[in-house]
Amino acid sequence: MAMEMRLPVARKPLSERLGRDTKKHLVVPGDTITTDTGFMRGHGTYMGEEKLIASVAGSVERVNKLICVKALKTRYIGEVGDIVVGRITEVQQKRWKVETNSRLDSVLLLSSMNLPGGELRRRSAEDELAMRGFLQEGDLISDGQGSQGHGSVAL
Amino acid sequence: MAGLELLSDQGYRVDGRRAGELRKIQARMGVFAQADGSAYIEQGNTKALAVVYGPHEIRGSRARALPDRALVNCQYSSATFSTGERKRRPHGDRKSCEMGLQLRQTFEAAILTQLHPRSQIDIYVQVLQADGGTYAACVNAATLAVLDAGIPMRDFVCACSAGFVDGTALADLSHVEEAAGGPQLALALLPASGQIALLEMDARLHEDHLERVLEAAAQAARDVHTLLDRVVRQHRAELRGGHRLVLGAGFPAADPAHLHVGERHGLHHGGGAVCGRRPCPGFCPGLRRPPQEVGGSASGLA
C-alpha cells in the first residue's frame, strides 16, 4: 500500500528553474487578475467591483477572451471519455448513484445499461424491479463513457 | 492584589511583544493526504489543525440538501491535552457547538456556496494546544485547508483577537492576557475588501475605545493575511518542485510530473502500480487523451 510521508529535511528554496513556471501567473483567492472588463470569466474567478478576482489558489489560464484559474487540487471533475471506477451507493428509481470521489455522486441510468442478450427495448417496470439483481449497494463498477450533467457525472 | 502587569511602562507585554505585534505564525498545508484539504497552524503556542472534505454528496438526510447552494458543516473540537489541566470535553458540549456555529457563519460568508448546489462541505478543526486566540487560529487553519481543497472562496479569511489594557489596544492575545479579564474581541476579516466576516465580543467596552480595538484587530488580521499568502505560495512552490516522496512496496519515488496530472486519471499511481510499466511513462496509454499539464491550454472547464 502506498503511503505518503513528509520527511523532515531542509527544503531548498524554489528557484524558478523550469522555464514554463516563470510564465505562470500564480494567484490566491482575493487577488485581482485584471481590471479589464473585456474578458469573460471562467472557472475559478468571480466578478467583484469591476474587477476579475480569483476564487481559488492556482495558475491563471487565458484562452483568447476567457480567463480561468485552474486550482492545484480539486475533486475529480468528469470529462467525456474518462474511464472511472466507482462504487454503488444507492439504488433509486430507474438509476443507480455511484460514488466516484467527485463533487456529487455520479449517476448511472438504467436506460444506459446494456441488457443481457444485447436487446434494445424500452425498460419496463420489471426491469426496474430487477435493478437490484444487476447492481447492489457496495458493488464496484468501471465505466468508460462520461458526460457532464449539472455538476454530476452521468455514466 | 499584585496583578500581572499586562503592559509595562515601556510598552512591552508579558511575553515581550509590543502592543500591535503578532505572535510567531507557522503554517503547513496539505498535511493529510487522505483529506481533500488540510492545514496546520501555530500561532505562538496555540496549535490548530483543520481538515476539509468536500464538496461531496450530502450523507445522511437528503432533506438537508439546499437546492441552490452548498451546505457548510463545521465541527470544532479541543484536545484533552490542549489546556493546562487535562480536561475531557464531550463532543456535543456548548463551547464546541458555539465555536462550530461561529466557524460556519464565518465560512458561509467566504465560500462561494452557489457554485456547488446540493452538496456538502465539511470543515473539522481541532485545537491541539490552546494558548489564547483559539478562534483565530481555527479560522486561519480552516482558511488554508479550504484553499488546499480547491474550494472557491471570495478571499482569505484572516482572524485575530484584540484586547484593551491601559488605554492601549493589544493585538493577538495570549492565554495570560485573556484570563486577566479585560475586554477582548475576535475579528474575522476578508482582507482584500476589508469586509468583516465575523466580529465577536462578550465583554464590556466603552464605545469610544471600540474604534481603536477594532482597528488593531483589523491591522493584525491583515498581517496574518500577508503570512498566510506566503505560506500558500511556498506550498505551491514545494508541489511544483516535487519534494514529495511516495513510499510503498517497491514503488519508485513519484515522478514530479505525476503531481500535475493527478485527477485526470485517478487510477494511475506512481511507478506503474496499476499497469506495471516501469519506468512510468506518466500517463495510461489506455486513455484516449494524453494528460493535460497544469498550465497547459485552458479547456474552459476547471
Side-chain angles (χ1 to χ4, degrees):
Chain A
M1 191 172 87
M3 248 177 27
E4 221 170 79
M5 276 179 62
R6 287 180 173 270
L7 306 179
V9 296
R11 261 178 293 276
K12 296 186 264 298
L14 174 84
S15 55
E16 306 278 7
R17 58 177 193 274
L18 300 164
R20 59 204 166 132
D21 271 0
T22 54
K23 295 197 206 89
K24 289 294 142 263
H25 183 195
L26 305 171
V27 290
V28 292
D31 273 359
T32 306
I33 302 173
T34 177
T35 46
D36 186 350
T37 49
F39 286 105
M40 293 192 294
R41 53 177 193 82
H43 288 276
T45 65
Y46 71 97
M47 189 67 83
E49 300 163 19
E50 303 286 319
K51 294 185 289 190
L52 200 61
I53 304 176
S55 63
V56 289
S59 50
V60 178
E61 286 169 10
R62 215 199 98 200
V63 177
N64 298 331
K65 284 286 190 183
L66 176 73
I67 291 192
C68 58
V69 180
K70 189 164 192 295
L72 280 175
K73 182 167 56 156
T74 57
R75 286 226 157 194
Y76 170 67
I77 298 160
E79 293 279 338
V80 177
D82 283 353
I83 299 174
V84 299
V85 168
R87 202 173 276 278
I88 309 288
T89 52
E90 258 186 78
V91 182
Q92 293 183 344
Q93 270 194 330
K94 287 199 182 55
R95 62 191 191 170
W96 289 273
K97 286 282 190 166
V98 183
E99 207 258 300
T100 49
N101 199 39
S102 67
R103 290 182 187 152
L104 289 175
D105 283 349
S106 308
V107 171
L108 176 62
L109 297 172
L110 178 61
S111 48
S112 61
M113 178 173 255
N114 295 332
L115 290 172
E119 35 185 286
L120 299 168
R121 59 171 169 80
R122 217 180 135 85
R123 307 288 185 261
S124 66
E126 285 89 25
D127 289 317
E128 254 186 84
L129 294 170
M131 275 174 77
R132 203 170 277 275
F134 295 134
L135 290 171
Q136 277 197 324
E137 286 91 341
D139 289 349
L140 201 66
I141 64 165
S142 153
D143 195 8
Q145 298 165 2
S147 62
Q148 279 281 11
H150 184 16
S152 61
V153 174
L155 300 174
Chain B
M1 181 174 82
L4 194 58
E5 194 184 41
L6 291 178
L7 193 65
S8 76
D9 299 325
Q10 291 85 21
Y12 291 111
R13 290 152 78 173
V14 177
D15 48 8
R17 285 185 285 153
R18 288 280 182 186
E21 217 179 301
L22 289 177
R23 292 176 287 181
K24 181 174 182 190
I25 295 182
Q26 291 176 303
R28 290 287 302 273
M29 289 170 67
V31 290
F32 286 120
Q34 61 264 38
D36 290 323
S38 56
Y40 169 75
I41 197 168
E42 286 183 16
Q43 255 180 267
N45 286 328
T46 300
K47 299 180 167 116
L49 188 59
V51 172
V52 169
Y53 290 95
H56 61 83
E57 188 83 26
I58 296 202
R59 306 284 168 216
S61 65
R62 229 11 98 76
R64 288 192 304 145
L66 299 165
D68 58 339
R69 54 199 170 87
L71 194 68
V72 178
N73 171 36
C74 289
Q75 277 192 30
Y76 166 91
S77 88
S78 194
T80 52
F81 45 81
S82 59
T83 48
E85 257 180 38
R86 190 183 189 93
K87 190 174 163 196
R88 194 178 156 270
R89 292 168 184 85
H91 236 183
D93 80 325
R94 181 146 3 136
K95 179 157 181 261
S96 302
C97 283
E98 191 185 333
M99 276 289 239
L101 187 64
Q102 284 181 356
L103 287 169
R104 184 158 71 87
Q105 286 173 340
T106 310
F107 282 96
E108 269 179 359
I111 294 177
L112 296 169
T113 48
Q114 286 85 5
L115 297 177
H116 301 297
R118 299 190 340 256
S119 61
Q120 181 178 343
I121 297 171
D122 294 318
I123 303 177
Y124 300 111
V125 185
Q126 176 153 53
V127 172
L128 301 173
Q129 202 171 302
D131 184 29
T134 50
Y135 169 76
C138 291
V139 167
N140 296 331
T143 293
L144 289 178
V146 170
L147 261 177
D148 191 36
I151 297 174
M153 281 210 291
R154 212 159 266 128
D155 193 357
F156 276 82
V157 189
C158 301
C160 198
S161 56
F164 194 72
V165 166
D166 289 346
T168 320
L170 304 179
D172 198 9
L173 304 173
S174 64
H175 178 71
V176 170
E177 289 161 343
E178 279 182 3
Q184 52 196 269
L185 61 76
L187 174 75
L189 192 71
L190 274 62
S193 47
Q195 292 173 340
I196 295 178
L198 186 134
L199 174 62
E200 185 247 348
M201 179 171 80
D202 57 3
R204 288 163 60 130
L205 179 70
H206 197 285
E207 64 167 333
D208 293 345
H209 306 313
L210 181 63
E211 188 73 45
R212 268 188 291 166
V213 180
L214 207 51
E215 182 49 42
Q219 183 54 43
R222 282 189 284 266
D223 294 337
V224 169
H225 172 244
T226 313
L227 287 159
L228 295 186
D229 192 287
R230 202 183 304 163
V231 168
V232 175
R233 288 181 198 272
Q234 228 165 32
H235 174 72
R236 198 157 43 200
E238 278 172 34
L239 281 189
R240 282 166 185 268
H243 286 286
R244 201 173 273 181
L245 206 63
V246 174
L247 301 180
F251 299 161
D255 188 82
H258 286 213
L259 298 171
H260 299 317
V261 299
E263 76 229 25
R264 268 291 160 257
H265 41 263
L267 290 182
H268 194 92
H269 298 282
V274 170
C275 55
R277 288 162 62 114
R278 284 165 213 259
C280 176
F283 63 92
C284 301
L287 289 184
R288 277 169 237 155
R289 295 171 291 124
Q292 300 234 338
E293 297 213 312
V294 168
S297 62
S299 59
L301 293 166

